[in-house]
Amino acid sequence: METLAIVPALTMMLPALGPFLLTLVLLAGFGHLNRFRPFFRIPDDFAILSGILLTFGLFDPASLTHFSNPERPMDWIPDLVTGTFIVRTLLSRVSGSRLLATATELGAIAASGLIILLPLMRQRSLVSGIVLFVLAFLVWVSLRLSFIPTSKGNVPSSLLLSAFLILATLSLISPLSGSLLLGQLSGGLAAVLAASLVFSLLKSSTVSGVEPGLALGALVLIGRYYAEIPVPVVASLLSAFPAASLGQYLAKRIPGRTRTGRLGQVLLPALFSILPLSVAIAIAVRTLSSSEGGY
């Protein structure tokens, strides 16, 4: 693929409307039901989980049934996300400890990174495999901790917007690496995050789980080590998170009581993250347009 054909790409992404609408409807429905059932709340992240599973069901149905295929690391993602959701939800029922919640998220990130990279680590020496895993783990821990959760422990809208932009960019450049499937899954997950972002902006209520980040991180690792997206492109994608974190820090200095202040606290991090994402697109178009490969 030597050029970006926008119209065919948009046509292939039409199924992503399904996860977007499902996630948005479920978030709205759960929010309505939870007002009448305060003692047995339905986790809002169940809507996100449903959108993620629907995305994989539409674009890669085999991943829902062929778990742990070492030749297809994408098959691990739906089960990893589901397992993390179940464990985190059960722990939240028995303990309200923020420390336990953080430990659960970091453990999930570590486990997912290790599982996704396990087939690759088997092809390398033990030392290089451990180094690869540690680096991947530290990257995602630093990104997760760079955003301070809200008072309710929810993921801030600025982080959701940054993750959406990264997934949309990954969806755009993945076909250049020869992996149309990676692009479709990234686009579908971007639609899920878009629904969550729309709901959070309309209702001032954001999701509280790490599952969207797990799926995003897994796709970026797969794009790097299996679809062979160049290191500068992946580095530019990951730089969008620290850039957005800086934007969030500056946005907190904007008074939050006015509409302009609240809007700035969401849009300023996005503006900061657009620059490294633009660099990622430029590098990908230059280095991948004449290459072949893919997952």
Side-chain angles (χ1 to χ4, degrees):
M1 183 180 295
E2 296 183 355
T3 58
L4 290 173
I6 300 299
V7 175
L10 291 177
T11 301
M12 284 186 284
M13 288 310 303
L14 283 178
L17 287 175
F20 173 82
L21 294 175
L22 174 69
T23 304
L24 191 59
V25 169
L26 288 179
L27 282 172
F30 293 160
H32 180 73
L33 291 175
N34 286 336
R35 287 200 297 268
F36 298 96
R37 304 175 64 180
F39 298 104
F40 186 74
R41 298 179 59 86
I42 303 174
D44 52 7
D45 301 311
F46 182 75
I48 308 298
L49 174 65
S50 301
I52 292 175
L53 294 181
L54 180 60
T55 296
F56 278 85
L58 288 173
F59 294 112
D60 190 20
S63 64
L64 299 179
T65 57
H66 294 167
F67 177 62
S68 76
N69 184 349
E71 301 300 325
R72 285 177 47 85
M74 284 187 192
D75 291 352
W76 297 78
I77 299 177
D79 292 271
L80 287 173
V81 173
T82 303
T84 302
F85 171 79
I86 293 174
V87 172
R88 189 176 58 80
T89 302
L90 291 177
L91 287 177
S92 66
R93 298 289 187 185
V94 300
S95 173
S97 170
R98 180 66 62 84
L99 179 61
L100 180 60
T102 303
T104 302
E105 291 192 359
L106 297 184
I109 294 172
S112 64
L114 179 61
I115 292 175
I116 292 297
L117 294 175
L118 189 58
L120 197 68
M121 291 171 63
R122 291 176 178 174
Q123 303 172 9
R124 302 181 176 210
S125 68
L126 180 61
V127 174
S128 62
I130 292 176
V131 170
L132 179 65
F133 164 69
V134 170
L135 289 177
F137 175 69
L138 291 179
V139 165
W140 287 108
V141 169
S142 63
L143 295 181
R144 179 65 183 95
L145 297 181
S146 66
F147 286 84
I148 301 175
T150 63
S151 58
K152 296 181 180 180
N154 294 344
V155 177
S157 298
S158 54
L159 177 57
L160 293 176
L161 181 57
S162 301
F164 164 76
L165 292 174
I166 292 175
L167 282 167
T169 303
L170 183 61
S171 175
L172 180 67
I173 65 179
S174 291
L176 293 176
S177 69
S179 181
L180 179 61
L181 176 58
L182 180 61
Q184 290 175 321
L185 290 175
S186 300
L189 291 181
V192 172
L193 284 182
S196 177
L197 180 62
V198 169
F199 181 77
S200 69
L201 294 177
L202 293 178
K203 298 296 184 179
S204 299
S205 176
T206 56
V207 298
S208 56
V210 72
E211 288 78 18
L214 287 179
L216 188 157
L219 289 182
V220 172
L221 289 175
I222 288 171
R224 169 67 192 105
Y225 295 112
Y226 297 92
E228 298 182 355
I229 294 179
V231 173
V233 176
V234 173
S236 298
L237 289 174
L238 297 182
S239 298
F241 267 129
S245 181
L246 176 61
Q248 185 191 41
Y249 172 77
L250 296 177
K252 287 183 177 181
R253 299 180 177 273
I254 301 176
R257 293 184 178 181
T258 65
R259 182 180 296 273
T260 303
R262 291 194 298 269
L263 190 61
Q265 291 177 8
V266 175
L267 293 183
L268 192 58
L271 293 176
F272 273 69
S273 63
I274 286 177
L275 180 59
L277 293 178
S278 301
V279 173
I281 294 175
I283 297 175
V285 171
R286 186 178 70 250
T287 60
L288 294 176
S289 59
S290 59
S291 65
E292 295 180 358
Y295 168 76

